[in-house]
Amino acid sequence: MSYIAIVITFVFINNFILTQFLGLCPFIGVSKNTESAIGMGFAVTFVMAIASVVTWLVYYYVLIPLGLTYLQTITFILVIASLVQLVEMIVQKISPPLYKALGIFLPLITTNCAVLGIALINVTNSYGLLESFVAGISAGLGFLLAIVLMANIRERLDLEDVPKPLQGVPVAFISGGLMALAFMAFDKALLTNLLG
Amino acid sequence: MLKEFTKGIFKENPIFVILLGLCPTLGVSTMVINALGMGAGVIFVLTFSNIFVALLKDFIPTKVRIPSYIVIIASFVTIVEMVMHAYMPSLFASLGVFVPLIVVNCIILGRAEGFANQNGVLVSILDALGMGIGFTLSLLLISLIREVLGSGTITLFAMGSFDGVIEIPLLFNAPMRIISLSAGALLVMGYLKAFFNWYSSRARG
């Protein structure tokens, strides 16, 4: 698959939140205001891009030569957990402003299924190293797009007169559903029309 | 003692009340059989991780407790993965990436951190069973609604001459496809949560 096709697939067609349901907890939990949604989105994109590369290297240079592929779930989650910790420490050291913006979101990312999800999907699709990296960034950008749109919708919803039982989470889910409906316009046919 | 068991089913229902473990809930709820398989997997992992966390809580240093819990959970998830792959390959295929993703299901880490590391083994087992059953029942409810309305069928295990699929007369020929698509999952979840909000506010008076 060409790189453009991977980008379009992971940002729009197989958007992690709206069609794959990976990373829903932060999507509902951190989408109350746009600023923190943007922070979370970028933090996830960052970690997903690095995690895709690192898990790829671990899978093809450690697990396969040793014949330990059945341990991939344990290995990946440990790699991701230590990676998140490492990224947190490095960012704190190198760029305090970036740490201030992303810092509080980083620990939450370990248990974000989107990160483990992309690592497993890269292996299932047997992507190469660069393809995995592109898939990781694109899936992260798709997450960013969905969570920022959602935060904007929810900020407006706060000003509306929502019926009491629907306030908060239920109306967020329903808006998410309507967004997913709109994203159904992006499908495989679009990809063939665009790239021939 | 019994309260630890029933709280997970109603009062602290993981999906509808504390909103944990949403990704697999929406991702696999297209067929009833998926919900049963996922529920069984989660009950198994949750029970055993709670047992081991409760047993090891005095030996694990506080600083590295989260990574230790993750290793315990991931080991049991790997067992589930291998057993499901060997004995139920079609179920394994339709659950797909969500089987290994049980590791990051927040319910399990949440119970290890929030309950099992302060309580005894027996109570932790009851807590895990209650939470697991609460999760499974909620998942069953969502997938029943989605499969009946979205495809007009109820898919269960195939046994003997019964192929495992029950067809609902009118809906089978004219199902509401949208409910079984991803948008439908979010809509059904939203309306169910609203219904439970309305119901509990009414019950409180």
Side-chain angles (χ1 to χ4, degrees):
Chain A
M1 216 197 294
S2 75
Y3 295 115
I4 301 173
I6 292 183
V7 173
I8 296 176
T9 305
F10 280 97
V11 177
F12 296 109
I13 302 173
N14 284 343
N15 185 291
F16 257 38
I17 293 179
L18 298 174
T19 65
Q20 310 270 52
F21 300 122
L22 298 171
L24 275 177
C25 305
F27 179 64
I28 297 297
V30 197
S31 62
K32 287 203 187 73
N33 70 72
T34 316
E35 209 171 299
S36 48
I38 293 175
M40 187 70 187
F42 276 109
V44 168
T45 312
F46 192 56
V47 172
M48 277 171 95
I50 304 175
S52 299
V53 173
V54 176
T55 50
W56 191 92
L57 292 173
V58 169
Y59 188 78
Y60 287 97
Y61 287 108
V62 180
L63 294 184
I64 287 193
L66 296 176
L68 291 174
T69 45
Y70 62 90
L71 286 180
Q72 65 166 13
T73 311
I74 302 184
T75 322
F76 282 6
I77 190 69
L78 284 180
V79 167
I80 290 169
S82 25
L83 189 74
V84 171
Q85 198 91 72
L86 198 69
V87 167
E88 195 181 346
M89 277 147 65
I90 293 173
V91 170
Q92 193 174 14
K93 197 89 187 161
I94 296 179
S95 162
L98 187 65
Y99 180 75
K100 234 177 138 187
L102 303 185
I104 48 164
F105 302 113
L106 284 171
L108 291 174
I109 290 176
T110 316
T111 49
N112 184 337
C113 23
V115 182
L116 185 59
I118 189 71
L120 294 166
I121 285 171
N122 284 336
V123 168
T124 321
N125 292 353
S126 44
Y127 283 156
L129 179 58
L130 199 58
E131 284 174 321
S132 301
F133 178 65
V134 173
I137 290 195
S138 317
L141 290 177
F143 178 89
L144 176 70
L145 177 70
I147 199 170
V148 170
L149 287 174
M150 187 68 194
N152 275 304
I153 292 174
R154 283 183 82 172
E155 279 183 351
R156 301 224 174 167
L157 276 174
D158 283 345
L159 305 173
E160 298 293 328
D161 186 20
V162 179
K164 199 152 179 293
L166 282 166
Q167 273 168 16
V169 178
V171 80
F173 270 112
I174 292 163
S175 326
L178 297 174
M179 263 165 75
L181 213 56
F183 267 69
M184 277 168 57
F186 303 109
D187 58 3
K188 288 259 155 50
L190 175 89
L191 200 62
T192 29
N193 287 341
L194 273 179
L195 303 169
Chain B
M1 206 65 135
L2 200 66
K3 230 176 67 204
E4 302 297 350
F5 177 69
T6 53
K7 73 169 191 290
I9 302 177
F10 302 107
K11 220 174 92 221
E12 291 176 32
N13 184 295
I15 293 180
F16 289 116
V17 182
I18 28 187
L19 297 168
L20 290 177
L22 293 172
C23 309
T25 312
L26 299 188
V28 305
S29 60
T30 44
M31 285 197 287
V32 173
I33 186 172
N34 288 355
L36 291 172
M38 190 70 193
V42 168
I43 291 176
F44 174 83
V45 176
L46 189 54
T47 311
F48 280 91
S49 70
N50 256 12
I51 293 175
F52 275 74
V53 169
L55 284 173
L56 294 171
K57 62 177 186 286
D58 299 327
F59 301 99
I60 299 174
T62 330
K63 273 197 172 161
V64 293
R65 67 182 193 287
I66 301 285
S68 322
Y69 298 162
I70 290 178
V71 175
I72 294 175
I73 295 167
S75 319
F76 288 110
V77 171
T78 307
I79 295 174
V80 168
E81 232 180 306
M82 289 165 127
V83 170
M84 218 182 249
H85 201 167
Y87 295 103
M88 290 169 271
S90 65
L91 181 65
F92 183 74
S94 73
L95 291 177
V97 76
F98 287 102
V99 181
L101 283 180
I102 298 177
V103 179
V104 281
N105 189 323
C106 342
I107 298 171
I108 299 171
L109 192 60
R111 289 336 279 175
E113 166 74 8
F115 193 88
N117 77 345
Q118 294 133 23
N119 291 285
V121 179
L122 198 63
V123 199
S124 298
I125 296 176
L126 286 176
D127 175 73
L129 287 177
M131 284 286 163
I133 291 170
F135 172 79
T136 312
L137 287 179
S138 319
L139 192 53
L140 262 179
L141 176 66
I142 299 174
S143 54
L144 200 63
I145 294 175
R146 282 186 71 198
E147 201 187 348
V148 167
L149 294 181
S151 353
T153 54
I154 297 175
T155 312
L156 299 165
F157 293 95
M159 277 174 292
S161 59
F162 174 58
D163 67 350
V165 181
I166 303 169
E167 293 174 6
I168 313 285
L170 280 167
L171 282 162
F172 184 68
N173 296 317
M176 297 183 237
R177 279 273 176 257
I178 184 74
I179 304 288
S180 63
L181 297 173
S182 58
L186 291 159
L187 293 174
V188 168
M189 180 67 203
Y191 284 115
L192 275 177
K193 172 79 180 134
F195 172 76
F196 285 117
N197 280 356
W198 171 78
Y199 187 77
S200 63
S201 71
R202 234 175 70 109
R204 248 180 271 125

